[in-house]
Amino acid sequence: MSSRGNFSFQSKYKTQPHSIKIEGDITLGGLFPVHSRGPAGVPCGEIKKEKGIHRMEAMMYALDQINSDPDLLPNITLGARILDTCSRDTYALEQSLTFVQALIQKDNSDVRCSNGEPPIIPKPERVVGVIGASASSVSIMVANVLRLFAIPQISYASTAPELSDNNRYDFFSRVVPPDSFQAQAMVDIVKAMGWNYVSTLASEGNYGESGVDAFVQISREAGGLCIAQSIKIPREPRPGEFEKIIKRLMETSNARGVIIFANEDDIKRVLEAAKKANLTGHFLFVGSDSWGAKNSPILNLEDVAEGAVTILPKRASIDGFDQYFTTRSLENNRRNIWFAEFWEDDFKCKLTRPGIRGNSGLRKCTGEERISRDSAYEQEGKVQFVIDAVYAMAHALHSMHNDLCLGSMGVCDKMDPVDGRMLLSYIRAINFNGSAGTGVMFNENGDAPGRYDIFQYQLSNTTNPGYKVIGQWTNHLRLNAEDMQWSGGDKLVPDSVCSFPCESGERKRMVKGVPCCWHCELCDGYQYLLDEFNCDMCPFDMRPTPNRTGCRPTPIIKLEWSSPWAIIPVFLAVMGILATSGVIITFIRFNDTPIVRASGRELSYVLLTGIFLIYLITFLMIAEPSTVVCAFRRLFLGLGMCISYSAMLTKTNRIYRIFEQGKKSVTPPKFISPTSQLIITFIFISVQLLGVFIWFGVIPPHTTVDFDELRPPNPEYARGILKCDMSDLSLIGCLSYSMVLMVTCTVYAIKSRGVPETFNEAKPIGFTMYTTCIIWLAFVPIFFGTSQSTEKMFIQTTTLTVSMSLSATVSLGMLYIPKVYVIIFHPEQNVQKRKRSFKAVVQAATVSTHLSQKDKKEGKSDHAPSCPQAKPRALIIKNIYFCTLKDIS
C-alpha cells in the first residue's frame, strides 16, 4: 500500500487527454464541466473558471484533506480520474466509458507479439465511485451507464426531479436537494404571498422543463394555485423570441408572478425584453437556484429585477478552500492539466508554449501572478457540495472498511475489488456534518434534505442594494414578510391573482377549467350567500342581512294611531259620532214632537244606530289586529251599513207603497205599522248576521302577518303587515249585501221622487242614496287600483273608513240635520196641524178621481194652468200620506 505524502507531478500525476489521474489505493471518478459546450463540430469551447475549475479543484482539495486525515480511511489513499464533460451530455457519455473499462471483459487470446508471446496488457484502473456530474442532463446520461456496472454516483449539482426515480437511477445519489424540493419551496413562497395565478418560464432542457413540471404538479396537488401560461424558451431562440414571450405573458396580465427555471443567459434576455416593452415593475419574478444570488443575469437590469424572489440551496463559503485555491500557482498545481488555460483566462495573459506563437494582443504571463490579488475571486456556490460529495464517498468507504476488514490496515481482500452495490448501501446510510457544518445524509431515493435560503433583490430604500436573505425553507417555509420590499420600496405585497375576492354577499361563478378564476355575482333580491358558490332565498318571513351573509326577521308593522293614514279617518269618525250622538239625544229629548213622530221614530233610531256603528268601525279598522278585534271587524264592518240601508229601504218602500196604493184605492197598504216596519228591517239585518256567523263557523277569525304585500325589490324596505285574515274579496263580500240594499233603496227613491214635498222623506233619502252611490263608485277604483302599491294596506284602510264615514255623514246630514235644525232653532214649526180623519181624506180622494176622469173625457190636461182641480188633487194625495203617517205614528 502506498503511504501518504507529497507527490511529484511526474511520478504521481499522469495525464491523459482531457483527464487528470491521481494515484491512490482506491480510485474515484470525477466529472466536471471544465469547458463550455463547443460550437458545431467542436466538442469543447471556452474554459469555465467557476463552474469548471473551482469545482474540480474542490474535489482535489477534498482528496488532499481526506488523505491527510488520520481518522478517515487510515493507511488508504484515495486517488481520482477526473474528466471534462465540456457541458455536453453525449461527450460526457463517451468520457465516462473510461470508468468502466476495467469491468469490460476483453478477449485477447488471438493477439500475439512479434515473437509469438502473448502481449502484456496493463490492467485498467478500477473506479469504485463517481463524483458528478454537474448538469442534470449529463448526470442522467452517465447514470444510465454506471448503473449497468454497479458504480455508485454522487452528484454535487444535478437537481432534476426525475433523478429521484430509484427504479431507473438506483445507483445515483446527490448532496444537493432535488428540484422537487425547490419547486415545493417555490409553491410555498407563492402561497405565502397570497398569489394564486402565476405563469411559468422554463429553458428547454431537462433542468428547466422538469423544474416547471415539478412546480405544476405540486401546485396542482396542493390546490389553490393556477398556471396562467406555461412557456418554454427554445434552446436556440430566434430573433424576437423573447419579445414574443413577454407578449404572451401579457395576455394574462393579472398573472404578474412569473416562476422561472432558466439558465443565466435566458434570464437576462427575459429581463431585457421586459424592459424593452416598458414593463419595468410589472412582472414579479420567482427564480430557481439557477438565478440564486447571481449578479450576472441582472447586470444593468436591476430596475426590472427589483423585487425578484430567488432561491438557493443553503450553503456556506469554505474558508479552507479559499486559502487552498488562492495559493495555487503554475508551479504547485501541475496536477491540474487545465490550470494553465485557467491562468491565462483569469489573468488575461498568455503563456509561452513550445511550438505555439503568442497572441500579440495579450501580455505575457510572468507566473508571479496570484489569484485574488491580481484577479477577482469569489468562491463558486457549489464548492461546498463538491467537498461534501467526496467526503460522503470517503465516509461510506470508511464504514465499509471497518465492517469488512475488521481493523486491518489498508485495503483488505474483501474490498478488492469493491462491491458497488454494497458500497451504495453504505452511501445511503452515511450521516455526518459536512464542510459547512450542516448534516449530510440521503433518503431512500438518494436525495439530500431540502435546505434553501430565500433571497429578494432589493434596490430602493437601502444603502446596499442587492440580494437580501428574507427567509429559509427546510421542509417548511419561514418567510420574514416584514423584510420584503417591492418596486419603489413598497412594503405591500403586489397581487398576482386571476380574480379578486368577492365582496360580502357575492357568490363566485367559476370560469370553466380555471379553478382560480371566477366572476362575482351579487345575491340579489331576497337571496343570501349560502356558501362560497351559491345563493339561496331567505324564508318568506325573513330578509337578507345588509351584507347578505344570512337572513334576519322581517320587521312587522301595523297601522299606527299616529299615522297620517289614521288621523283623518279617526277625525271624521269622532266628528260623526259626536254628531250622531247629538241627533239621537235631540230625538230622545223631543221624542213626542211632530217632526220626530213624522220621521218614524222607531226606524229613525234604528237608522241612527247603523250610522253610529259605521263611524265606530273606523276604530276597529285601525286598532291593532287580534282575534277579538278581527271578530268585531267581521261583525260590524257590514252591520252598520246593513242596519242603515235596511231602515232606509223600509222607509222608501213604505212611502212608495202608500202613494201607489192611494192611486188605486182608499184602502191603506199592508205592513206599514211601526211593528211591521221594524220586523221587515230586522229581517233584512238578520241576513247579514246569518252570513257573518256562517263565516265565523267556516273560517274562525284570526290574525296573520302578510309578508307579500310589502315585499319590494329592495329587501331593506320589506315589512310584514299584521292584519286580520280578511282578503280584499272577503271584505267586499262583507259589504256586498249592504251594497244590494243601497242600490235597491236608490231604486225606490227614484220611483218615489214625484210625491208631495211637505213631510216627504223620499227626496232626502233619494239625494242620500245618489250621493252614497257616487262615494262608493269612487271607492271601488281607489281600493282595487292601489293593490300593487307598497302602502296598499294604509291606502285601502283609509279609503274604506273615509268612504264609510262620508256615506254615514251624507245620511246623517240629509235626513236628520235639517230636522234637528228645525227642532232646535225653529220650534214654532214643530207643531201639530189640524187633524183630519182618514174617511174625509178618502172622500176627497174620490171626488178628485171623478174630476180627473171628467177632465180627460173633455180633453183637458191635468197640468193646464186654467184647471183649478190640479192643486186640490195633489193636496188630497198629500193628505192621504199625512193621515197615514199620523195613524201609524
Side-chain angles (χ1 to χ4, degrees):
M1 303 300 171
S2 60
S3 60
R4 300 188 182 207
N6 295 322
F7 306 102
S8 68
F9 178 78
Q10 296 293 335
S11 60
K12 294 294 181 182
Y13 302 109
K14 299 177 182 178
T15 65
Q16 293 180 358
H18 303 295
S19 71
I20 295 175
K21 176 69 173 84
I22 300 176
E23 297 290 350
D25 301 323
I26 298 175
T27 301
L28 303 180
L31 293 171
F32 296 93
V34 179
H35 293 86
S36 62
R37 180 194 299 263
V42 180
C44 301
E46 297 178 349
I47 195 164
K48 300 176 75 170
K49 293 191 297 182
E50 287 82 12
K51 289 187 177 181
I53 298 300
H54 283 206
R55 293 178 182 181
M56 185 188 66
E57 287 288 349
M59 180 176 180
M60 292 191 288
Y61 165 77
L63 289 175
D64 291 345
Q65 294 297 308
I66 292 168
N67 288 336
S68 62
D69 187 345
D71 298 323
L72 184 60
L73 290 175
N75 295 309
I76 297 178
T77 303
L78 288 181
R81 169 72 71 180
I82 300 174
L83 305 175
D84 180 10
T85 65
C86 290
S87 307
R88 189 188 297 270
D89 50 3
T90 53
Y91 182 79
L93 179 62
E94 296 173 5
Q95 292 294 302
S96 64
L97 293 177
T98 304
F99 299 146
V100 298
Q101 285 180 355
L103 302 176
I104 299 175
Q105 299 295 328
K106 296 181 180 180
D107 184 9
N108 297 318
S109 58
D110 57 345
V111 179
R112 290 287 185 271
C113 294
S114 57
N115 58 4
E117 295 292 326
I120 301 174
I121 301 174
K123 187 177 181 181
E125 62 187 349
R126 185 184 182 95
V127 173
V128 300
V130 175
I131 305 300
S134 179
S136 295
S137 57
V138 174
S139 289
I140 289 171
M141 189 74 78
V142 172
N144 284 317
V145 174
L146 297 182
R147 70 183 295 271
L148 299 176
F149 297 93
I151 298 176
Q153 174 186 1
I154 302 178
S155 174
Y156 50 83
S158 298
T159 57
E162 64 184 276
L163 287 166
S164 298
D165 188 348
N166 201 41
N167 294 321
R168 293 180 58 192
Y169 307 104
D170 46 345
F171 280 83
F172 178 84
S173 304
R174 48 187 162 190
V175 290
V176 288
D179 286 338
S180 56
F181 290 170
Q182 181 176 204
Q184 180 65 64
M186 294 171 82
V187 168
D188 291 347
I189 292 169
V190 167
K191 287 200 163 189
M193 293 190 292
W195 299 350
N196 67 5
Y197 197 51
V198 297
S199 296
T200 63
L201 272 178
S203 291
E204 185 178 3
N206 186 268
Y207 171 78
E209 293 179 55
S210 60
V212 164
D213 289 345
F215 180 88
V216 171
Q217 179 65 27
I218 293 170
S219 64
R220 185 180 295 117
E221 292 172 356
L225 184 59
C226 300
I227 308 302
Q229 302 263 12
S230 194
I231 303 174
K232 183 165 63 175
I233 303 172
R235 200 183 298 270
E236 302 292 339
R238 298 175 182 177
E241 188 71 41
F242 289 91
E243 286 74 11
K244 291 180 182 178
I245 289 172
I246 295 299
K247 285 183 180 179
R248 281 191 60 189
L249 290 175
M250 285 305 295
E251 290 174 3
T252 51
S253 57
N254 278 4
R256 296 179 63 189
V258 179
I259 313 303
I260 184 165
F261 281 83
N263 57 54
E264 295 177 30
D265 186 55
D266 286 345
I267 294 170
K268 188 176 183 68
R269 295 175 71 177
V270 166
L271 297 178
E272 288 173 345
K275 187 170 187 176
K276 185 178 178 181
N278 198 27
L279 292 171
T280 299
H282 176 79
F283 294 113
L284 312 167
F285 294 99
V286 178
S288 63
D289 60 350
S290 60
W291 185 334
K294 298 172 186 173
N295 289 315
S296 55
I298 63 171
L299 189 63
N300 301 322
L301 297 166
E302 290 84 358
D303 53 342
V304 188
E306 184 177 12
V309 177
T310 60
I311 191 170
L312 199 61
K314 187 177 286 291
R315 64 189 186 187
S317 181
I318 309 303
D319 295 336
F321 177 78
D322 288 341
Q323 184 178 359
Y324 160 81
F325 190 71
T326 55
T327 59
R328 296 299 89 193
S329 65
L330 295 172
E331 288 75 21
N332 64 14
N333 198 25
R334 297 194 176 189
R335 62 182 178 178
N336 185 347
I337 62 172
W338 297 289
F339 196 69
E341 189 177 353
F342 162 81
W343 195 270
E344 290 178 326
D345 187 76
D346 194 43
F347 295 108
K348 301 296 184 287
C349 61
K350 194 67 177 178
L351 290 171
T352 302
R353 298 180 185 175
I356 301 177
R357 287 187 62 182
N359 188 338
S360 57
L362 294 175
R363 67 179 182 85
K364 186 177 180 180
C365 300
T366 63
E368 299 299 322
E369 297 90 352
R370 289 295 176 263
I371 300 171
S372 181
R373 186 191 71 184
D374 300 316
S375 65
Y377 167 75
E378 182 180 359
Q379 187 179 126
E380 200 276 330
K382 294 292 195 299
V383 163
Q384 166 198 341
F385 300 109
V386 175
I387 296 171
D388 288 345
V390 177
Y391 266 88
M393 194 72 76
H395 277 282
L397 289 168
H398 182 83
S399 298
M400 187 178 184
H401 181 268
N402 287 342
D403 291 344
L404 297 181
C405 296
L406 299 176
S408 62
M409 306 300 288
V411 178
C412 63
D413 293 339
K414 290 184 178 179
M415 287 186 64
D416 188 17
V418 173
D419 183 88
R421 192 167 296 278
M422 184 181 294
L423 177 60
L424 176 66
S425 64
Y426 282 100
I427 290 174
R428 296 290 172 85
I430 59 100
N431 189 343
F432 65 96
N433 287 330
S435 54
T438 56
V440 177
M441 63 193 76
F442 302 103
N443 63 13
E444 65 277 6
N445 296 322
D447 295 327
R451 289 187 288 261
Y452 296 95
D453 282 324
I454 301 168
F455 298 87
Q456 186 183 40
Y457 187 77
Q458 298 179 359
L459 194 60
S460 305
N461 300 333
T462 178
T463 55
N464 185 23
Y467 294 97
K468 308 293 182 185
V469 177
I470 58 169
Q472 294 83 34
W473 191 92
T474 306
N475 295 326
H476 65 276
L477 178 67
R478 294 190 300 275
L479 189 66
N480 303 319
E482 63 276 6
D483 294 337
M484 302 178 75
Q485 70 176 32
W486 306 88
S487 181
D490 191 3
K491 289 286 187 179
L492 184 65
V493 179
D495 293 313
S496 182
V497 295
C498 181
S499 301
F500 290 98
C502 291
E503 298 291 335
S504 179
E506 293 181 337
R507 75 178 184 93
K508 292 180 179 178
R509 185 167 65 84
M510 305 305 297
V511 176
K512 188 176 181 180
V514 189
C516 300
C517 300
W518 58 81
H519 300 297
C520 294
E521 293 183 345
L522 180 66
C523 295
D524 57 357
Y526 289 81
Q527 294 180 326
Y528 72 99
L529 190 65
L530 179 64
D531 55 41
E532 191 176 6
F533 305 102
N534 297 290
C535 298
D536 196 12
M537 290 294 293
C538 285
F540 75 97
D541 58 344
M542 304 186 81
R543 59 178 179 165
T545 56
N547 60 8
R548 294 186 179 272
T549 56
C551 295
R552 53 181 171 157
T554 301
I556 298 174
I557 62 171
K558 59 183 179 60
L559 185 56
E560 302 290 342
W561 294 102
S562 58
S563 169
W565 297 104
I567 291 174
I568 294 175
V570 168
F571 174 77
L572 293 176
V574 169
M575 298 303 294
I577 288 172
L578 292 175
T580 305
S581 300
V583 172
I584 293 173
I585 292 171
T586 300
F587 268 48
I588 293 173
R589 172 69 178 80
F590 299 97
N591 188 56
D592 292 324
T593 61
I595 290 178
V596 174
R597 295 178 64 192
S599 298
R601 288 175 296 186
E602 293 79 5
L603 286 181
S604 291
Y605 289 131
V606 172
L607 198 153
L608 287 169
T609 301
I611 292 173
F612 187 88
L613 291 177
I614 291 174
Y615 286 123
L616 188 64
I617 192 63
T618 295
F619 299 95
L620 290 173
M621 296 300 293
I622 296 175
E624 181 175 350
S626 65
T627 302
V628 174
V629 170
C630 291
F632 280 118
R633 278 190 190 180
R634 287 192 189 182
L635 181 61
F636 291 113
L637 179 61
L639 184 61
M641 292 179 65
C642 177
I643 292 173
S644 298
Y645 296 137
S646 295
M648 280 193 279
L649 176 59
T650 303
K651 274 192 174 191
T652 55
N653 175 266
R654 181 182 63 178
I655 294 170
Y656 174 76
R657 287 190 298 117
I658 288 173
F659 282 96
E660 284 298 313
Q661 183 69 19
K663 293 177 183 180
K664 301 174 184 178
S665 169
V666 295
T667 306
K670 297 179 180 180
F671 308 118
I672 60 173
S673 67
T675 304
S676 300
Q677 296 297 297
L678 289 174
I679 291 172
I680 293 171
T681 300
F682 285 118
I683 288 174
F684 288 147
I685 295 172
S686 65
V687 174
Q688 174 76 19
L689 291 174
L690 179 63
V692 170
F693 286 118
I694 291 174
W695 188 7
F696 280 162
V698 175
I699 305 175
H702 62 279
T703 60
T704 183
V705 179
D706 188 348
F707 292 99
D708 294 325
E709 187 170 311
L710 272 181
R711 197 173 174 86
N714 187 349
E716 288 300 310
Y717 300 110
R719 298 291 185 271
I721 300 176
L722 179 63
K723 61 198 311 187
C724 291
D725 187 29
M726 292 176 66
S727 65
D728 293 347
L729 289 178
S730 63
L731 185 145
I732 297 300
C734 188
L735 297 174
S736 61
Y737 179 65
S738 299
M739 300 291 183
V740 172
L741 294 176
M742 180 184 71
V743 172
T744 307
C745 186
T746 304
V747 171
Y748 275 108
I750 294 172
K751 288 184 176 183
S752 303
R753 67 185 183 279
V755 299
E757 297 178 2
T758 307
F759 293 104
N760 177 19
E761 286 189 302
K763 284 185 171 59
I765 291 175
F767 289 133
T768 299
M769 300 319 299
Y770 305 152
T771 307
T772 303
C773 286
I774 293 172
I775 291 172
W776 286 102
L777 285 173
F779 161 78
V780 171
I782 295 174
F783 186 86
F784 290 100
T786 58
S787 59
Q788 302 301 320
S789 172
T790 55
E791 296 184 324
K792 169 188 172 183
M793 183 196 74
F794 307 130
I795 296 174
Q796 290 186 344
T797 301
T798 301
T799 303
L800 176 63
T801 53
V802 168
S803 296
M804 295 182 72
S805 294
L806 287 177
S807 62
T809 302
V810 168
S811 300
L812 188 66
M814 292 282 190
L815 299 178
Y816 294 104
I817 296 301
K819 292 179 173 59
V820 171
Y821 176 78
V822 171
I823 292 171
I824 295 176
F825 297 104
H826 296 283
E828 72 277 3
Q829 297 180 13
N830 191 15
V831 294
Q832 185 173 359
K833 295 184 180 181
R834 184 174 62 87
K835 184 175 181 182
R836 300 176 65 186
S837 67
F838 189 80
K839 182 178 180 181
V841 173
V842 171
Q843 288 176 349
T846 304
V847 171
S848 176
T849 302
H850 290 307
L851 289 173
S852 296
Q853 291 174 354
K854 182 179 180 181
D855 290 341
K856 287 181 181 179
K857 289 179 181 180
E858 295 176 356
K860 295 180 181 180
S861 172
D862 289 341
H863 302 285
S866 60
C867 180
Q869 289 80 14
K871 185 174 181 181
R873 181 185 177 196
L875 181 61
I876 291 168
I877 298 173
K878 178 189 75 172
N879 288 335
I880 293 173
Y881 170 67
F882 177 77
C883 291
T884 304
L885 290 179
K886 297 302 179 183
D887 290 339
I888 66 176
S889 297

